[in-house]
Amino acid sequence: MTLRSFLFSILVSCATIAVAQETFRFGTNVNPDGVKFEVDSRGFIVGGKHVLPVMGEIHYARVPEQEWRREIQKMKAGGITIIATYVFWIHHEEEEGIWNWSGNKNLREFVEICKEEGLPVVLRIGPFCHGEVYQGGFPVWLTDKAQKDPQQYKLRTQAPGFMDATRNLYKNIFSQVNGLLWKQGGPIVGVQIENECRGPWSYYMALKDMAVEVGFDTPFYTRTGWPKLNGNEEFGKLLPLYGDYADGFWDRVLTDMPGDYKKAFIMKDTRLSAVIATEALGANQDTKMETKDLSYPYLTCELGGGMMMSYHRRINMSGHEVKPLAICKLGSGSNLPGYYMYHGGTNPYNPKHTMGETQASPVTNYNDVPHMTYDFQTLLGEMGQPNWTAWHESRLLHQFLADWGDKLSQMDVDSLSDHYARRGCFEFFNDYVRILNEGGTSYVTPRDWKLSTVNWLRRAKGSQLSTTIDWATVEPFCQADGILYFIEIEGKKPQVCIDGKVFTPTLNKPFMERGLTFCVLSREKAHTAYKIGNKLYYSDGILYKDGGHLMEETWNILPTKVNYVLTKEHGGLREVKMGSQKVAAQPVESDFEKAATWTISGLNELNENLDLYLEISYRGDVARIYADGQLVEDNFWNGKPMLVRLSDLVGKRIELKILPLGKDYPIYLQKEQKALLDQAPNGILLSLDGIKVIERETEERDF
């Protein structure tokens, strides 16, 4: 501890509003140590203290088992304090009665790692999950039964056969996590029942009762707050959690930002989104909140951390979208930013059919998504690679919530307009809108923020000094080592008004005023700053803790030449047909007979001890990588390169196949990619622009 931090201990507080708060009682909410995990109308209370957590989704079955711990540790470094994950039925019971909980599907090991890393877990147990997985997670044997005998097996109803199968699913999930519930000293604090379902309510209650009967006794139970239920909800039984997205692959139109996506970027007095799942729920969803729903805490489970691509809609996410989404929800009163997805992944390989959603399947067949990749263009992508813009900007916001979210969670929305909201002593602003106003900004600033300093000098031990930040044009970041850190706002002169006196601080240089030490970091400097313990560390990579070790992860291009030879020219454009849902259908395996084909070699010479990836830059329609004839990675072109694990390729015969993209294909491309297609000779776009070797390097840093 420095002399300065010894002399002064900063106590930061904001005025709170005393209102009646309802406490909800679900399952057992106290663990063996006596720590309660409670829910009231504001949000979560842990150990008697209000918290404002950050939830991030990662799908264990889509991430290699040996990478789980590292990726969870990185999520913690990004500010995630609750892990959410789907349990996909089809991943575990592909054949009726044969269960697989091994390898990447070892749910118990995944939850145990979350426990060891100190992260609570919310399990989304279905039976329907969606998650862009084949048939929404329903196994083929079950959908076959539903088609042959709907009276017994009609999906997502209380048909006897379907409910019996679901009970067996719940029993098997519980058998994997028994001993890991909160009441047992484990991390599982919540369970989501079903997903994106209108009801009826009796169906929801039958599923919840079934989950409780098999053993899921948890502090809370949730459902997605969309779509609106078809009546008869029993209040206080399931917490509705909400969401919003910056854009959607599921839309039926081929234009920029269709429908109401721009409304995701404004402050609003409704928690409901009109843009989620429009292919299934329609484009005119009712967003008027019912009074009883406003009595629940405002929590989200699906803020778009990125967006997947469908074949017909090739969205290209920049990463700038993530922070504005969160700012607008926080400003509107939310007390849980919950990201879907926070971490991407890869679908398990299945030789019988794709494991991604497809129009060619009997059910949940609204869109065609890639067979293998589920990168989601999110904060940590398919291989755990960072989207630096989204990673840094959200991480800094999450650190603000870690230090002052408990206070913010108790503050009402005092005023609100499209671009501005105020909660207590924090003001939220956003005028960024994806594509429509890419030059906009998004930030939170303090106003009338009261701070108290405990003076520990011998002559005045314990005396209080108080001061107020009247306003500032900088963002609060964190408190570390006795210093109150802020971050400059792009395009604004950094100023802080303290007790009526205006300061224009020098960036990255601490200054003292009324017994407090302040420092405003440049945005560039802040992007390298990580608060670990009570100290700031700086890195151009990702800093995270692994037990008692401080680790640094960087991603670097190696000066290694990859040999690739064109062995077959493309055979012309394929006929693009419309799928069952009247949008363009992705190519089938036989279509790749017309693909341009390259043979890739020389990979065996690379150091197998390194964590390496191929970055393939190309232009075209769809690219696929085969290793000894097996599909290991695919990609719908949206202007970004595809990434492939070298470990999937070494020692095998490698082929890269790329289908040409036609000028008149009925697909959506953003303007930058559309311009390349418009300029393509003969209206055909196809090129392999280069292959690079990327190394993920992890080194230990000194504390």
Side-chain angles (χ1 to χ4, degrees):
M1 180 179 288
T2 65
L3 176 62
R4 183 172 296 161
S5 62
F6 173 76
L7 294 177
F8 296 99
S9 173
I10 301 173
L11 301 177
V12 182
S13 64
C14 297
T16 59
I17 302 168
V19 296
Q21 297 186 27
E22 183 167 357
T23 299
F24 298 92
R25 297 191 64 84
F26 298 104
T28 304
N29 63 8
V30 60
N31 71 7
D33 293 328
V35 179
K36 285 187 177 181
F37 198 110
E38 300 172 278
V39 183
D40 70 6
S41 54
R42 294 282 187 181
F44 295 123
I45 306 168
V46 181
K49 297 180 179 179
H50 288 93
V51 296
L52 201 162
V54 181
M55 186 163 69
E57 185 109 4
I58 177 175
H59 298 153
Y60 59 93
R62 284 169 158 162
V63 177
E65 177 187 18
Q66 64 272 19
E67 298 181 9
W68 286 344
R69 186 178 298 277
R70 179 190 65 204
E71 298 308 307
I72 289 170
Q73 290 169 345
K74 286 162 56 180
M75 291 176 71
K76 283 180 64 178
I80 296 301
T81 54
I82 298 178
I83 295 289
T85 191
Y86 274 134
V87 182
F88 293 116
W89 194 344
I90 195 172
H91 287 177
H92 298 288
E93 194 188 13
E94 243 179 283
E95 298 181 46
E96 186 175 6
I98 301 175
W99 292 88
N100 182 357
W101 298 98
S102 62
N104 295 5
K105 302 173 184 179
N106 191 335
L107 172 61
R108 185 172 192 87
E109 181 184 343
F110 177 81
V111 176
E112 285 177 337
I113 290 173
C114 292
K115 175 184 177 181
E116 291 163 6
E117 296 299 330
L119 289 176
V121 173
V122 174
L123 291 182
R124 307 175 83 180
I125 63 174
F128 172 74
C129 291
H130 202 185
E132 293 69 68
V133 74
Y134 190 72
Q135 301 192 145
F138 290 133
V140 174
W141 61 263
L142 180 63
T143 57
D144 285 348
K145 287 187 175 186
Q147 289 180 314
K148 293 174 183 176
D149 189 357
Q151 186 173 356
Q152 284 292 315
Y153 286 95
K154 186 176 181 181
L155 303 176
R156 307 179 78 182
T157 72
Q158 294 181 68
F162 175 72
M163 292 301 282
D164 286 345
T166 300
R167 180 182 296 275
N168 195 38
L169 167 69
Y170 283 6
K171 282 182 177 179
N172 274 273
I173 296 174
F174 182 72
S175 71
Q176 297 301 307
V177 299
N178 191 7
L180 293 171
L181 305 184
W182 182 260
K183 72 175 187 178
Q184 299 168 318
I188 298 175
V189 294
V191 169
Q192 179 181 304
I193 303 296
E194 250 287 350
N195 188 65
E196 298 181 341
C197 180
R198 293 189 188 277
W201 187 250
S202 59
Y203 171 61
Y204 265 120
M205 285 298 94
L207 291 177
K208 180 191 174 184
D209 291 345
M210 184 186 298
V212 173
E213 287 168 10
V214 303
F216 283 108
D217 181 10
T218 57
F220 61 92
Y221 305 91
T222 78
R223 64 173 177 88
T224 49
W226 71 94
K228 277 197 170 182
L229 300 177
N230 51 13
N232 300 319
E233 175 193 356
E234 188 176 353
F235 183 76
K237 296 293 185 179
L238 294 173
L239 279 176
L241 269 61
Y242 299 92
D244 226 340
Y245 286 94
D247 206 333
F249 68 79
W250 46 78
D251 271 286
R252 310 285 93 182
V253 296
L254 309 181
T255 57
D256 288 335
M257 297 288 287
D260 287 333
Y261 284 105
K262 61 182 178 294
K263 291 184 179 179
F265 296 101
I266 62 172
M267 317 290 172
K268 53 189 179 183
D269 59 4
T270 182
R271 306 171 186 182
L272 287 165
S273 169
V275 298
I276 295 181
T278 55
E279 82 278 42
L281 306 177
N284 298 308
Q285 298 175 50
D286 183 5
T287 60
K288 185 179 179 181
M289 296 291 297
E290 296 184 25
T291 302
K292 67 178 186 305
D293 289 338
L294 294 173
S295 298
Y296 288 115
Y298 184 5
L299 312 173
T300 68
C301 60
E302 290 197 21
L303 290 185
M307 181 48 58
M308 198 56 193
M309 291 177 288
S310 59
Y311 181 76
H312 73 279
R313 193 163 172 81
R314 312 289 182 87
I315 295 167
N316 185 318
M317 305 295 280
S318 68
H320 289 286
E321 306 90 351
V322 179
K323 181 185 176 186
L325 281 175
I327 284 286
C328 288
K329 295 299 172 286
L330 290 166
S332 301
S334 174
N335 282 337
L336 173 69
Y339 296 99
Y340 188 100
M341 297 288 294
Y342 191 89
H343 195 299
T346 309
N347 288 324
Y349 175 72
N350 186 322
K352 298 178 182 179
H353 55 74
T354 173
M355 290 296 268
E357 181 181 344
T358 173
Q359 295 179 84
S361 66
V363 300
T364 317
N365 53 5
Y366 301 109
N367 309 282
D368 285 339
V369 300
H371 284 28
M372 301 301 296
T373 182
Y374 195 67
D375 179 81
F376 217 83
Q377 305 181 83
T378 189
L379 296 95
L380 295 172
E382 179 176 5
M383 318 297 178
Q385 77 278 16
N387 178 323
W388 288 115
T389 298
W391 167 259
H392 287 314
E393 288 298 312
S394 65
R395 182 176 61 78
L396 301 179
L397 178 63
H398 300 161
Q399 185 59 63
F400 158 71
L401 296 178
D403 281 15
W404 298 296
D406 57 335
K407 305 293 191 303
L408 178 64
S409 72
Q410 300 306 292
M411 297 175 188
D412 285 330
V413 177
D414 299 325
S415 57
L416 179 147
S417 61
D418 282 0
H419 303 298
Y420 169 86
R422 180 170 180 176
R423 292 181 66 180
C425 58
F426 295 113
E427 296 181 316
F428 298 83
F429 179 85
N430 175 65
D431 65 356
Y432 168 93
V433 183
R434 172 176 151 73
I435 293 180
L436 304 180
N437 185 20
E438 291 282 354
T441 55
S442 182
Y443 52 82
V444 55
T445 56
R447 181 170 290 275
D448 303 325
W449 190 9
K450 301 185 186 303
L451 303 98
S452 297
T453 305
V454 180
N455 187 342
W456 291 105
L457 289 171
R458 180 174 298 177
R459 287 177 296 177
K461 185 176 181 180
S463 64
Q464 294 284 327
L465 300 176
S466 63
T467 189
T468 300
I469 297 179
D470 302 308
W471 55 264
T473 57
V474 291
E475 290 192 85
F477 172 33
C478 71
Q479 180 182 330
D481 198 25
I483 300 175
L484 203 60
Y485 284 96
F486 294 83
I487 305 169
E488 70 167 335
I489 297 171
E490 188 174 357
K492 288 188 173 292
K493 182 179 181 180
Q495 290 187 314
V496 183
C497 182
I498 303 173
D499 289 337
K501 184 178 179 181
V502 177
F503 297 86
T504 304
T506 302
L507 294 179
N508 307 319
K509 185 176 180 180
F511 70 96
M512 289 192 68
E513 177 63 22
R514 293 184 59 81
L516 298 177
T517 304
F518 301 85
C519 183
V520 178
L521 300 177
S522 67
R523 200 130 213 113
E524 182 180 22
K525 183 72 170 178
H527 282 181
T528 69
Y530 291 78
K531 181 180 175 182
I532 299 175
N534 193 39
K535 183 178 178 181
L536 285 190
Y537 294 81
Y538 297 90
S539 169
D540 290 327
I542 296 175
L543 285 183
Y544 63 93
K545 284 187 68 178
D546 181 4
H549 304 280
L550 180 60
M551 309 303 294
E552 181 178 52
E553 177 179 292
T554 55
W555 292 73
N556 308 299
I557 300 173
L558 297 184
T560 304
K561 185 177 180 181
V562 177
N563 300 320
Y564 53 94
V565 178
L566 179 66
T567 54
K568 180 184 174 183
E569 297 281 356
H570 77 84
L573 297 176
R574 73 181 185 96
E575 179 186 0
V576 179
K577 299 179 180 180
M578 305 304 280
S580 64
Q581 298 297 323
K582 310 304 181 186
V583 292
Q586 67 176 311
V588 297
E589 187 64 39
S590 60
D591 289 320
F592 283 86
E593 295 174 3
K594 288 189 173 184
T597 304
W598 286 262
T599 299
I600 300 175
S601 61
L603 303 183
N604 295 346
E605 300 171 5
L606 295 172
N607 188 336
E608 63 181 14
N609 294 320
L610 300 180
D611 195 355
L612 303 178
Y613 304 82
L614 294 188
E615 183 184 84
I616 302 172
S617 298
Y618 77 100
R619 301 176 190 182
D621 186 20
V622 177
R624 287 185 173 183
I625 284 277
Y626 296 84
D628 285 346
Q630 177 179 313
L631 178 66
V632 297
E633 190 70 24
D634 60 342
N635 183 273
F636 296 165
W637 182 73
N638 71 339
K640 293 180 179 178
M642 70 184 294
L643 207 60
V644 187
R645 285 186 174 86
L646 201 71
S647 58
D648 291 336
L649 308 177
V650 172
K652 300 175 182 177
R653 178 175 56 85
I654 309 304
E655 284 189 322
L656 167 64
K657 296 185 178 183
I658 305 176
L659 284 171
L661 179 61
K663 186 175 182 179
D664 297 324
Y665 279 16
I667 66 172
Y668 165 73
L669 292 169
Q670 291 181 202
K671 61 180 181 180
E672 296 83 0
Q673 290 73 52
K674 185 67 165 58
L676 294 173
L677 179 58
D678 290 341
Q679 298 163 13
N682 303 316
I684 298 177
L685 184 64
L686 175 64
S687 64
L688 176 56
D689 301 326
I691 301 179
K692 298 175 182 177
V693 177
I694 308 292
E695 179 188 9
R696 181 211 312 260
E697 187 174 4
T698 306
E699 294 183 338
E700 186 173 350
R701 280 267 305 265
D702 292 332
F703 270 108

